[in-house]
Amino acid sequence: MLGRSLLGLLLTALPLLTSAATSWKQVKLGGGGGFVPGIVFSTKTKGVAYARTDIGGLYKLNSDDSWTPLLDWAGNDKWHNWGVDALALDPTNSNKVYIAVGMYTNSWDPNNGSILASSDGGSTWTEYPLSFKVGGNMPGRTLFFGARSGNGLWKSTNSGATWTKVTNFPSTGTYVQDASNEYTADKVGLAFVTFDASSSSSGSATKRIFVGVANVNTTSIYYTEDGGSTWAAVPGQPTTNNLPHKGVISPSEGLLYVTFNNNAGPYDGTIGSIQKYNIAAKTWTDITPVSGSDLYFGFGGLAVDLQKPGTIMVAALNSWWPDGQIFRSTNSGASWSPLWSWASYPTMNRYYKYDVSLAPWIGVTATDDTKQIGWMMEALVIDPFDSNHWLYGTGLTIYGGHDLLQWDTTHNITLKSLADGIEETAVLGLISPPTGPQLLSAVGDVGGFSHSSLTTAPSTPFNTPLYGTTPDIDWAGQAPTNLVRIGSDASSTSRQVALSTNSGATWNEDYGAATGIAGGKVAISAAGDVVLWATSSNGVMVSRYTNAFTAVSSLPSSGVAIASDKVTDSTFYAASGNKFYVSTDFGVTFAAKSATLGSSSTANDITVNVKVTGDVWVSTDAGLYHTTNSGTSFTTITGFGATWSISTGAPKTTGGYPSVFVIGTYNSVVGVYRSDDQGSTWTRLDDAAHGFGSGSANVICGDQRTWGRVYVGTNGRGIFYGDESGSSTSTVSHIFT
């Protein structure tokens, strides 16, 4: 009897888990939204091209200029695969694609990198682990593979399945951007590996290979004439301000063109040069297009026109003011023409028409930043089959066009944003109020948007004030046209709290906020008259009627999750560690409840039943908790481990309990889950094709008007929305532990 009773205590039934066929689609921004450091055209097959991003995966070009994502299958255990650090195509088979993936080489990413290989144009992939880290989102963002972190040059002879270090390669790179900061303290390593196809006959291994190494003021370019058996420094190379970025062969000319910078980029660099190396004569020529006071930037992107020998283009990597710059030469660099020039300061001659019709908001962002042409321009290519077609990547989008040859005639081209399908934003917050736009987003680097349409790019980001990054956004439960959002720039003269009374159509600074305070999380009261702000570095603060924000001393100074009640104006909730707090005096003071959040050490998110005061859900590092009495007691939702973002949405039946959406770990599986019955049963919504990257970095939002619709904001692939498209089938029931 004792044995049976004890056994009974150990058996715990998990809530029923089902899976539902969910139709996932992208919320369209249409303009990329992040850094595109590499674009490669196939020289074998017309129209085949791929673009790699630093945190948003890999994309393939379509015939209509749009792009298809290829790594959306990467889920929580493969989130680092969205950092694509290198890209190569098989020159004899355009369906064979190789990428080096990994997000960071420092402690932020515990995973070693991998080589992903595809033989079907990116439809399927085979992953081959590496023994070291790869950093697609590290400084200096760039079969032989040149590695970071002093790991040197590696070689594969079996299509990437195994790799051997080239131990006789002379240098692994000594350049470190900034040793005082973990993010910038790593060795940049090797910058490029360029094959000279003319050095070997078809079907045999390439004998001549050039490798650029991140060294400054010393030898930085090496070559081999025997397929890597021996290596030597390229003779006569420049050794001043000579960190190489791109090395491109012009085969018909027998030239190697190289762009140099005095820093690794993609943000820095104050001087550089462009050099061409005559391979047969072994001579270098400086062909830098500007000098003196006009040379205040380094050089990054570099392209040759394979159809027109002697035609080359180069991009200024870091011309931060007044705009980026691109130069074009039709005589191997003897003379150049720019994409813009000064007419009479401050008037610029812009030799292009600017077309951002696919993503109108880009025009607002670029104009505010004074840089239409762009910044961080490491990728620049000319279609090897079409001299009119060109593309280049920036820190914001992909630009290009189909009338490039007009540069040489009328000196006026169409510069168009051509990033449709590339969604690379890091999404920090989402709301879906019951009125106004169906979705509003808080986004890193590009601010945030009112999405009046989910399938059409917004016309403008949030502005007046325009925040570069919007960490969070919230709506007032009883006055849902009233919104609050915050900015992240503590150094700005703009106050980093903004209010709207018309669903985000227009905004005004909250004059109760002091300058010098930024970031964190924000909540607005049910009536819209109180703002509670958990700042990044100044603790939790509160303001009513836009009066000056004051400190909330009854809450911890950091690590606090906050939310407003959507029914009662005076009520706010907070959580920190395993403690839950409630305020009933408009956020001025909070009292800790005696009931705790179990063994939690971190409270991640709070959401509420928008129709009932005191009905609150809390996600933590140790589980999911629910209270219906303002925290007097909590129910632990069985089956959940670490849970991160949580949200309620429209109920399945009129007047029913709201759906609850969670990104978290259920039965040790990280996924996107929904419950329609207060957590008694759960439905898994993500699938093999939609992994959404890092679960802990993502945000979730239920739609308040449409049952079952959920929005997932990712850390690198923008926003997805899902609608149930099929009946649920049981996949797990009554699992015992």
Side-chain angles (χ1 to χ4, degrees), residues 433-471:
T435 59
Q438 198 137 7
L439 179 70
L440 298 98
S441 60
V443 183
D445 292 338
V446 293
F449 303 90
S450 294
H451 302 271
S452 56
S453 167
L454 302 180
T455 58
T456 303
S459 58
T460 182
F462 295 142
N463 56 60
T464 58
L466 177 69
Y467 299 141
T469 289
T470 301

Side-chain angles (χ1 to χ4, degrees), residues 449-631:
F449 303 90
S450 294
H451 302 271
S452 56
S453 167
L454 302 180
T455 58
T456 303
S459 58
T460 182
F462 295 142
N463 56 60
T464 58
L466 177 69
Y467 299 141
T469 289
T470 301
D472 201 16
I473 188 170
D474 194 25
W475 59 282
Q478 299 303 302
T481 61
N482 287 26
L483 312 176
V484 63
R485 62 183 170 96
I486 53 175
S488 64
D489 187 2
S491 65
S492 173
T493 58
S494 172
R495 295 169 177 84
Q496 300 295 291
V497 180
L499 301 170
S500 174
T501 59
N502 53 14
S503 299
T506 60
W507 296 83
N508 293 290
E509 289 185 21
D510 184 339
Y511 285 95
T515 59
I517 302 175
K521 295 295 181 180
V522 72
I524 191 170
S525 67
D529 57 332
V530 181
V531 174
L532 186 69
W533 185 15
T535 70
S536 290
S537 58
N538 292 72
V540 181
M541 310 184 77
V542 68
S543 166
R544 192 176 188 192
Y545 303 132
T546 69
N547 288 312
F549 278 83
T550 57
V552 180
S553 59
S554 49
L555 288 176
S557 59
S558 63
V560 183
I562 60 173
S564 61
D565 193 272
K566 296 301 182 188
V567 177
T568 303
D569 190 50
S570 61
T571 302
F572 286 87
Y573 309 104
S576 181
N578 72 340
K579 292 185 177 181
F580 185 75
Y581 303 81
V582 177
S583 171
T584 57
D585 59 1
F586 303 97
V588 176
T589 61
F590 282 77
K593 307 297 287 189
S594 58
T596 65
L597 304 171
S599 61
S600 304
S601 60
T602 303
N604 292 317
D605 198 11
I606 301 173
T607 194
V608 301
N609 182 341
V610 300
K611 299 294 185 182
V612 179
T613 292
D615 190 337
V616 184
W617 296 75
V618 185
S619 62
T620 77
D621 64 334
L624 180 63
Y625 300 88
H626 179 213
T627 178
T628 57
N629 52 21
S630 299

Side-chain angles (χ1 to χ4, degrees), residues 281-308:
K282 298 185 183 302
T283 57
W284 289 86
T285 304
D286 188 333
I287 55 172
T288 310
V290 292
S291 60
S293 61
D294 292 328
L295 184 58
Y296 52 90
F297 44 78
F299 296 93
L302 172 65
V304 301
D305 188 338
L306 296 181
Q307 300 292 320
K308 293 184 174 298

Side-chain angles (χ1 to χ4, degrees), residues 631-690:
T632 299
S633 62
F634 280 95
T635 299
T636 303
I637 306 301
T638 307
F640 279 98
T643 53
W644 300 290
S645 188
I646 183 169
S647 175
T648 58
K652 189 172 184 178
T653 58
T654 302
Y657 193 86
S659 295
V660 179
F661 298 93
V662 178
I663 297 175
T665 307
Y666 182 89
N667 194 28
S668 302
V669 177
V670 174
V672 178
Y673 299 95
R674 185 192 75 232
S675 176
D676 297 313
D677 53 14
Q678 300 191 54
S680 295
T681 62
W682 292 87
T683 300
R684 186 173 177 187
L685 306 178
D686 56 311
D687 54 46
H690 302 90

Side-chain angles (χ1 to χ4, degrees), residues 711-725:
Y711 306 93
V712 175
T714 68
N715 185 34
R717 273 287 290 124
I719 309 167
F720 292 85
Y721 67 101
D723 291 301
E724 186 162 317
S725 60

Side-chain angles (χ1 to χ4, degrees), residues 52 54 79-81 83-86 99-106 109-115 128-138 142 145-149 151 186:
R52 66 178 178 92
D54 60 347
W79 63 270
H80 51 285
N81 285 359
V84 185
D85 202 25
I99 55 176
V101 296
M103 196 69 74
Y104 300 101
T105 60
N106 58 19
D109 185 351
N111 308 285
N112 283 340
S114 300
I115 299 295
Y128 301 111
L130 295 170
S131 60
F132 50 84
K133 293 183 178 183
V134 171
N137 197 31
M138 294 294 288
T142 47
F145 169 49
R148 293 176 176 268
S149 310
N151 286 303
D186 196 20

